[in-house]
Structures are given as C-alpha cells and as structure tokens.
Amino acid sequence: MKSSHEYIHQENGPFPAELMINIFSYLDGISLSCCKQVCRQWSRVISHYDDVIWPNVCHRDFEKSNAGRFWSFRFPAPSRRLHCNNQRSWQDMYRITKNWYNGYAKGFYPSIVSNSAPKFSYCNTVVGVPQEHGMFTNLTLALNGQVVRSNPNYHHPATGSQSLIIQSPRTKEKFFFEAAIGDLPGLPEAARSHSIVCHYSHPSSEWLVTGGLNGTVAVWSLSTKSLVRIWHGHRGRILCVSMNDEVVVSGGSDNVIRVWDLDKCNDNAKWTNRHRPTRRGMINISSYLSGRSDWYQGVGEIAVNDYLVACAPDASGPILVFSLLTGSLVYELQEEVPAQDSEWITEDIMAFTRLCLTPFFLLTKGKISNQSNKVKLVPSHHNVVLQRNHHHENNKGKSAMGYVTKLSDSKIKEAPAVAQMTPYQLYQYYKSVNTTEEDSSLMTMTPQTSACINVWDLQTGKTIYKLVPTLEKSHQNYTITDVRLSPDYSKVFASIEIRAQSHYEERLYCWDFSLTSLSTSHEAFDIMELDDVDTSLRKTGKSWACFL
C-alpha cells in the first residue's frame, strides 16, 4: 500500500514518485539541487526520499577510487546515534562535505550563555585544555552527553589510584568514574596496575578507552560501567588512544602504534568472546622516519577514521599517515616554516599538534606568513592576515618622533639579533610584543606570522587552505591551543589564547561549514563554560561545551 505522501506527490504533478526517484538517483549533487528548484513536486520528492536518493549521490560524487592503494574514502552517513535537536540528513551531509572541499565557511566568536540552562538539549562538542595542578586535562564527550576528564593528578579518594572524572556539562557537577572490574582470570590484577594517563570517548560510541602508565590499554562499557577488556603490548607508557567503530589504536613512548580489534556483536554493551585474539597489528614509527627526523618523545597525538590513522610526535617532527588495513605509510606531512626576517616569536606553551581527522581531510595546527599568497585562507574576506596587512600598510612610512631611530624605522634591512640590540631597541621590541596601547602609532612591530589550522586533502596529501581567525586588535599575539570537530563535521572549534604584557584572554572561535550560502547566518547553538579559573587549586585555562 502506498503512503499518503506518494499520493500527494502524484496528485501535484504528472509523474509518479517512483519514476522520479529512479531518475533522480542517477544525478549528481549539483544537478539534484537545481531540480529542487524546478517545481514543488520535485522539491518534495527529493527532500522526502532523502534516504533513497541522496546516498547514491554522496557515494558517487565523493568516494573517489584510489587505484593501487590499500585504502579508500567512505562518505560519512548521518549518525542516528548522536543526540541532537536537528538530525542531519544525507542532503545536509552532502552540503557540508561540499563546503569543506570549496572552503565555504563563516568564522566568528560565538556568544557564551550564562549559567542558566541552554536552549538546546544535547552537548555535542567540548573544547579546551585546562590545567589542574600544573598538568593538562584531556576532555572528551561520552554517549550520554557527559564530559569525561583525565588528568595524571586525578586520584580516587577511596583507592588512591589514578582515575577519571565524569562531569555534567549543564550542572558542572563532577564525580569519579566508578566501574566494576569483573572476576575473569587475571582481569582484577591487570586493572589494579592500570594507572590511567589518557583516554578517548566519542558521543556515538558505547565504549571508553583508556591508556595506562604501564603500557596497557583498557576498554570500558559506559552503559554497564564495567571493564570489558584490557590489552598488553607497549614497552612504555601510553601517550594517546583513539578509536573508530571497528578498532582501537594506541600510541606509546616506545614509538609504536598498536591496533586492536573491537568485538563485533549486535549488543554494543556486551563483549561476546573475551578470549578471542584482538591484536590486529603494530606500526613501528622509527622505521618510517627519515634520517633528519627524531621522534625521541614517542607518539604524542593520534587520530583515526575508517581507513587511515594519523599520528604526530610529542615534540617537533612530521605527521605520518598510515593505512589501517596494511600498516603502510601513506603520507609524511610537514609544513613549511614561514620565514621570519625580523621577528622573534615566543614559542607556544602547548606545542601539541592537535590532530583532527575527517573522512576526507586532516586538520593540524600551523602558522602562515602574512605576506604569503600561496594558500587560500578561510574566511577569505575577513581574517587576521588581512587585518595585519592592512595595519602594516596604514603605518608604512610613518617615522617616530625624536632623534633616536626606532627599530621599526631603521633603514637596516635585517634587524640585529636580540643579544646585539641596544637597550632602547630592546625596550621598543618588547613593548611592541606586549603592548596594550590603543594608539596604532605606538605599535612598532606587528607579528609577521599568524597561527592557523592547516586543512590537508587526504586525496593528494597537500594543504588546500588554512583556517584563520580574526582579532579585535591585529597587533595582538595569539596561539591556538586546542582544535575540535563537531561529530557531524559541520563546525571546527578552536581555543585561542591572546596574551600581552598585562593582558591575557582565552576565547572560543568557530568556523561553520553548514552554510547554505555565505550570505546566510550561522546555525544557532549555545556555548557554556565548563571550567572556572581557581588559583588556589592551580587551575588555569578555559573549556567550553557546545549544545546543538
């Protein structure tokens, strides 16, 4: 029996819905979007039969074949397990992915709501790297929308062992993670020696993965609050863990990535066979590095999608991308360091790369020279690079008053080294770096490089554009301390640290890729602060929860 919607489609036009569905399924996304504007009946059919028409279009347009490679692209299906007020359709995912390829995004500082309850129900993203007792805290989201926190200084009050803290993003209440160990042979002893130093969870997964100080990796069930599996394999401590729907990946101080199989069963809360071998394989990073690279600190960052795993060192070094199927090296990515002719930039306090992996792109922290025009910037019409170039042009040729030549007014092409500066030049240099004056004539030096987010195309292994924020004052120094993706890949969030001699500020910036056009406003969502600065507890840094 036909549904009422099919009768409506047939009554409003001369063609039956079945015929139009069959024709529309062969069109590409651009043609299909044009067909929606032909008449009301076509628009209703294309929108109503989203699960029938658009999957074929998405797979055909974006899943390009990789001949000779042991990996391929997989288009992200709309996740029904994500708690969200507005569930994404296949058409929405097509538009978001197309915007990623074209670099269509709107950048802005989202408004922070007060402590009152947000309008939206579900927390989908958490951003920030606060410090507690001098150590960084890792934040992720669990399936129920709660925030999972790990810090080496978290110790359970009852047992004294290292533990996790679960936090409600709405009420900010915290409690220690209580989990049953079970009575399987060897499991209680292994769990007692598993001191948690890192973790990973995802809003669409039932599992919580933790890395231990003794080189073990544990899988916990968040629904039953129990330990379901623990693995041994690393010769040093675990530095990072991640997972997808099929595997868990872990990186350690021994320069090794290990891949573990998740159990395949219909009920995600149960592990059907605890004795089945689950170690898929390992990747020795040191065998792939060139002679000039040194990963003496181990695998510090890791990210995984359906077919690829990306990793970065705990110190400086290239980013390596491997195939999950074969363990072979796909890309060795390293950004060209911009030239700094007469600028000395203080090193970022947090030197982590902050990898984010989508089905088609890899996001990493980076820097760009303000004079560079080789790579596209997003947003292209309003960003800090344009602001600084405009500021430089406005102050070009202006000489300072007085009989002593300022450092910025000197005719010497290359500024002297810091150790060779005169006291007056040192005063002018540090005043330009840490100034808080409003008058632009007092700004002697504007930073020549700007912090950004590199967007790498996984099809070519090259940077296709850079995400750049905006600043209220272009001369300010800033760093990007954290980068996060929303689960549907529609938004990129960055924690931006703005610092000067007498000014310090942390703000949240967002690039929205869900736009239907660049002239439309961004999607509505709420942002709440999670952490409050408390000097008595040596607690610094901000974090935010996003409600969609």
Side-chain angles (χ1 to χ4, degrees):
M1 173 179 270
K2 295 182 180 180
S3 64
S4 59
H5 294 284
E6 295 181 0
Y7 286 114
I8 293 175
H9 298 328
Q10 291 183 4
E11 292 174 358
N12 289 345
F15 304 109
E18 293 84 352
L19 177 60
M20 290 188 293
I21 292 173
N22 191 25
I23 296 175
F24 290 152
S25 61
Y26 288 97
L27 300 180
D28 59 83
I30 298 177
S31 301
L32 204 57
S33 300
C34 295
C35 290
K36 286 190 64 177
Q37 304 177 15
V38 172
C39 64
R40 186 178 301 174
Q41 185 200 17
W42 287 19
S43 177
R44 288 178 178 177
V45 170
I46 294 173
S47 299
H48 180 72
Y49 294 98
D50 180 84
D51 293 336
V52 179
I53 300 174
W54 282 97
N56 298 328
V57 178
C58 295
H59 297 318
R60 186 170 53 249
D61 286 6
F62 293 107
E63 293 182 359
K64 302 176 182 178
S65 61
N66 295 316
R69 300 181 181 180
F70 293 100
W71 60 276
S72 59
F73 292 116
R74 179 183 295 178
F75 190 87
S79 178
R80 306 306 179 190
R81 291 180 291 175
L82 291 175
H83 296 289
C84 183
N85 289 276
N86 297 319
Q87 290 290 341
R88 296 292 185 188
S89 63
W90 282 94
Q91 184 177 356
D92 294 332
M93 298 305 297
Y94 185 98
R95 183 182 70 253
I96 293 171
T97 307
K98 196 70 175 179
N99 288 343
W100 272 97
Y101 272 103
N102 295 329
Y104 290 159
K106 178 172 290 187
F108 59 96
Y109 289 97
S111 302
I112 309 298
V113 300
S114 60
N115 293 330
S116 59
K119 295 182 294 183
F120 299 95
S121 305
Y122 303 107
C123 179
N124 291 86
T125 312
V126 60
V127 193
V129 280
Q131 296 185 51
E132 298 176 80
H133 299 282
M135 302 294 289
F136 293 114
T137 300
N138 184 27
L139 307 176
T140 61
L141 273 181
L143 182 64
N144 55 5
Q146 291 183 320
V147 179
V148 184
R149 309 170 63 101
S150 63
N151 187 295
N153 292 314
Y154 289 164
H155 295 276
H156 198 281
T159 62
S161 60
Q162 288 181 312
S163 180
L164 300 173
I165 287 181
I166 309 298
Q167 180 182 13
S168 170
R170 302 179 70 89
T171 63
K172 300 183 181 180
E173 295 181 0
K174 301 178 182 178
F175 57 89
F176 282 92
F177 180 65
E178 300 281 355
I181 302 301
D183 55 356
L184 290 178
L187 198 59
E189 294 78 9
R192 280 193 290 269
S193 62
H194 180 73
S195 298
I196 299 174
V197 294
C198 59
H199 81 280
Y200 181 83
S201 63
H202 193 270
S204 64
S205 176
E206 290 278 353
W207 306 117
L208 168 66
V209 181
T210 58
L213 189 63
N214 60 349
T216 57
V217 179
V219 180
W220 311 76
S221 173
L222 290 172
S223 58
T224 61
K225 293 186 178 180
S226 61
L227 176 64
V228 295
R229 194 70 189 240
I230 192 164
W231 295 302
H232 304 262
H234 288 274
R235 297 186 301 272
R237 67 189 182 100
I238 305 296
L239 298 178
C240 54
V241 290
S242 186
M243 66 176 173
N244 58 20
D245 292 336
E246 298 181 354
V247 299
V248 172
V249 292
S250 57
S253 59
D254 54 355
N255 285 334
V256 170
I257 294 177
R258 291 203 177 269
V259 183
W260 321 85
D261 278 316
L262 283 172
D263 190 61
K264 302 292 180 21
C265 57
N266 295 327
D267 189 356
N268 290 331
K270 297 180 180 179
W271 201 284
T272 56
N273 188 354
R274 298 174 187 267
H275 302 285
R276 181 176 61 85
T278 55
R279 184 189 300 180
R280 176 178 293 191
M282 60 167 285
I283 303 172
N284 190 356
I285 300 299
S286 58
S287 62
Y288 290 96
L289 294 174
S290 57
R292 64 182 184 277
S293 302
D294 188 8
W295 273 39
Y296 59 88
Q297 293 290 341
V299 183
E301 289 281 336
I302 200 166
V304 62
N305 60 15
D306 292 333
Y307 291 99
L308 299 175
V309 54
C311 60
D314 202 18
S316 60
I319 299 168
L320 304 181
V321 182
F322 296 92
S323 168
L324 270 179
L325 180 62
T326 62
S328 58
L329 181 65
V330 178
Y331 297 119
E332 180 178 344
L333 309 176
Q334 193 160 16
E335 182 186 15
E336 295 182 2
V337 180
Q340 301 172 11
D341 297 330
S342 60
E343 178 188 6
W344 299 267
I345 300 178
T346 56
E347 292 293 330
D348 294 350
I349 297 176
M350 299 173 219
F352 303 116
T353 308
R354 296 299 169 193
L355 302 177
C356 291
L357 198 59
T358 77
F360 303 101
F361 304 96
L362 172 66
L363 275 63
T364 63
K365 286 168 51 179
K367 288 185 178 180
I368 183 173
S369 172
N370 296 336
Q371 285 74 38
S372 175
N373 56 1
K374 298 180 181 179
V375 183
K376 178 182 178 180
L377 303 181
V378 176
S380 58
H381 300 293
H382 185 53
N383 56 65
V384 67
V385 175
L386 296 179
Q387 289 177 311
R388 288 176 170 177
N389 289 335
H390 181 69
H391 178 272
H392 177 73
E393 291 296 328
N394 289 342
N395 292 273
K396 191 175 182 180
K398 292 183 179 180
S399 300
M401 297 178 62
Y403 61 89
V404 180
T405 302
K406 276 190 175 184
L407 184 64
S408 59
D409 296 338
S410 176
K411 297 182 180 179
I412 302 177
K413 294 183 179 180
E414 294 186 1
V418 177
Q420 299 176 354
M421 286 185 179
T422 64
Y424 180 77
Q425 289 174 330
L426 281 173
Y427 167 75
Q428 292 294 335
Y429 167 68
Y430 285 111
K431 185 178 179 181
S432 66
V433 173
N434 301 314
T435 184
T436 58
E437 297 289 339
E438 296 290 342
D439 188 4
S440 62
S441 63
L442 298 179
M443 308 304 173
T444 59
M445 293 180 65
T446 300
Q448 295 183 3
T449 60
S450 302
C452 64
I453 299 175
N454 298 325
V455 179
W456 303 82
D457 187 354
L458 295 178
Q459 178 72 27
T460 61
K462 297 181 180 180
T463 305
I464 57 173
Y465 54 83
K466 296 174 181 286
L467 301 178
V468 186
T470 58
L471 291 178
E472 293 182 356
K473 303 174 183 177
S474 59
H475 65 275
Q476 293 176 322
N477 285 275
Y478 75 96
T479 57
I480 297 176
T481 58
D482 192 24
V483 181
R484 299 293 178 97
L485 282 167
S486 60
D488 59 358
Y489 312 113
S490 64
K491 295 171 182 60
V492 179
F493 295 98
S495 173
I496 296 180
E497 181 184 280
I498 304 172
R499 58 183 184 272
Q501 184 176 13
S502 58
H503 176 75
Y504 175 85
E505 183 182 9
E506 283 185 275
R507 299 191 66 182
L508 181 66
Y509 198 83
C510 175
W511 292 268
D512 189 357
F513 285 87
S514 63
L515 305 175
T516 55
S517 66
L518 292 178
S519 59
T520 59
S521 59
H522 61 82
E523 283 187 334
F525 57 89
D526 289 333
I527 298 292
M528 289 185 63
E529 289 190 8
L530 277 179
D531 291 272
D532 301 320
V533 177
D534 192 340
T535 55
S536 61
L537 298 177
R538 296 174 59 192
K539 185 175 179 181
T540 60
K542 290 184 178 182
S543 61
W544 300 268
C546 175
F547 294 82
L548 291 175

